[in-house]
Amino acid sequence: MQKMTKSLATSKHIFNITAEQRAALCSPQLCCDDVEFNEILKSIKQTYSTEGFVLIRGLLDDDAKERLVAAGHELQSADTRRPPIGNQFSALEFGSAFNSEKVIFREVALDSAIPAVIAKVLLDIEEKDDEDGDEKKNDTTLRLLKDAFMAKGKEELHCGWHVDDNLFWPTDSSSSGVNVWLSLDGMPAEYGGGMAVSPKSHTAEWRRDAYTSIGSTPTLPPEGVSPAQLRKTFGLTCNMASLNEEINAKIESTKLVFDYQPGDCLFCHRWLFHRSTIINEDGMKHYDDNSALKRYTIRYERGSAKLIQGVNLEPSVLIDPQNSGKSLDEVCEINNKPFYPRCWPPLQVEEKKVQSLGMDVLSQEIFPLAQKKKIETIQGLMAAGAGKA
């Protein structure tokens, strides 16, 4: 295994938030009287807009960070009895925020300063005057789209340069949500095992060719995914290196990595190309047998973002195909279920209780049914494809 060559991120990509600033972010108001902090927020927004990513430290207090790391360790330890998942993960749990036994994932994803940064700074969700001018109301919401806990160690495979496909990011290409990669372990760049990004790739001239190579969402027709299209692109997302060597080399030449610390939050534009990095030989020696490095990924979207039309493996669509093409807000309102829990504007206490109970019902009753339908759908699609071969 070769040692990873690296270009280390500089201080312009990294911002540190104090406890007082974290509290200001979590307050309902969208403004702050701290001039210095406002300048920091402007720099964060500018860096994210230009580079396509920004790393922020201090968004979780020590208690939340310790509880999250402990919960991740429990999930990873429980999965050590099973073989690596697809030779890519030593542990993997989708929908960790819906896990009623590990509520810290829910707290971090929905109620921490993380969604507050996205709503207030990165996506600039504003409050507008009502028609009578007396009240203010939000013109949109921020919702949790997808989340997953992952642990990666000595696995043979890793996911190459990509943007998330429609299984991980089921909204159409008109939306530009935010992907948060939260490190639960220290991951020095010199040892590998973390996340690499390609600065400014969300606006690069070659990005359309890259989307085409791996069948990304922007290449889909307006009517969405056809069965033939899903069969054709299924499993291509991580294979840029073998599908388009020229584009892969271009992206690789821009690679940037970080010295990740526990609690670091890497905010990435939906269309920023990124990839995981393999633990190198020095890393294997450094981590010894304890090389399952843990991370928590959280994807956020505006409530106005619409689900992809056509064939869809999204739980809300598998349960009710009429949800295809609807906005996240509409899906939650029509079904009266928090398929995409609201993070912003902040919920009142009773609203939060109702949403949390709804998430438990989904996790215990609805998602298992959707998973069965997902397996049946995939098997049917593949069988149909084999019949035409």
Side-chain angles (χ1 to χ4, degrees), residues 104-153:
I104 184 60
F105 289 104
R106 188 175 303 185
E107 294 172 16
V108 167
L110 303 182
D111 304 323
S112 72
I114 293 172
V117 165
I118 295 172
K120 291 184 174 184
V121 184
L122 304 186
L123 296 186
D124 196 19
I125 294 177
E126 299 178 350
E127 288 186 333
K128 296 182 178 180
D129 288 332
D130 207 346
E131 290 182 359
D132 58 12
D134 294 332
E135 298 180 356
K136 287 190 173 183
K137 62 180 181 180
N138 290 81
D139 67 332
T140 190
T141 60
L142 181 70
R143 292 189 177 272
L144 171 65
L145 179 68
K146 291 280 185 183
D147 73 314
F149 165 80
M150 305 174 184
K152 292 179 64 65

Side-chain angles (χ1 to χ4, degrees), residues 228-246:
Q229 219 159 12
L230 184 59
R231 286 193 295 267
K232 180 180 178 181
T233 60
F234 195 80
L236 297 183
T237 303
C238 295
N239 300 329
M240 182 71 77
S242 61
L243 294 171
N244 193 326
E245 294 182 8
E246 181 180 354

Side-chain angles (χ1 to χ4, degrees), residues 94-95 97-100 106 357-369:
F94 290 110
F98 289 83
N99 187 333
S100 59
R106 188 175 303 185
L357 288 173
M359 292 174 70
D360 292 342
V361 170
L362 285 171
S363 176
Q364 297 163 14
E365 301 177 13
I366 307 299
F367 288 162
L369 177 60

Side-chain angles (χ1 to χ4, degrees), residues 184-199:
L184 303 187
D185 286 310
M187 304 181 199
E190 64 179 308
Y191 299 133
M195 175 68 72
V197 297
S198 173

